[in-house]
Amino acid sequence: MPGIYLGAILFSLIGMMLIDWKYSLALRVAPLRTALAVLGGTVFFLAWDLVGIATGVFVKGESPLFVGVMLAPHLPLEELFFLLFLSYLAIVMFAVFERRSSARSAASASDARGAS
């Protein structure tokens, strides 16, 4: 069934955006910085893929789940959206762990003041 893989990636990307928006992790806090970081990560990994394709390390496998649109030899459309999702996921997870670390630091400082 063509398009299932792309649909799953887009579904996951939309879900990540909703989580990000609800908890104000990245896009809502700094939209331009987040967009530039996602774009930069996507371009980096796309270049990585192109080098891998050129050297024969990466090849496109056959699957009925792909839509069939090729951006370059061995580079399906789904790969671009996967790299976009991967970059965005990394930024959102960084924001989650940064917020968690800040909360722990604040709790430790509060406990230290309370013990004094």
Side-chain angles (χ1 to χ4, degrees), residues 19-113:
I19 290 168
D20 177 17
W21 192 260
K22 179 178 181 178
Y23 295 104
S24 298
L25 296 167
L27 197 57
R28 204 177 208 180
V29 175
L32 182 60
R33 187 173 60 191
T34 300
L36 289 175
V38 169
L39 182 63
T42 303
V43 167
F44 171 80
F45 284 119
L46 192 57
W48 180 295
D49 276 2
L50 291 174
V51 169
I53 290 167
T55 58
V57 175
F58 299 153
V59 293
K60 178 191 163 283
E62 293 302 317
S63 173
L65 304 178
F66 290 153
V67 292
V69 176
M70 300 297 290
L71 302 176
H74 301 288
L75 186 66
L77 175 66
E78 289 85 353
E79 184 69 9
L80 177 64
F81 284 96
F82 172 73
L83 297 175
L84 183 79
F85 171 73
L86 182 68
S87 298
Y88 187 49
L89 174 65
I91 291 165
V92 169
M93 291 309 297
F94 178 80
V96 166
F97 288 115
E98 185 178 33
R99 184 174 290 179
R100 184 176 176 199
S101 176
S102 296
R104 282 187 174 179
S105 296
S108 294
S110 176
D111 289 346
R113 282 192 303 262

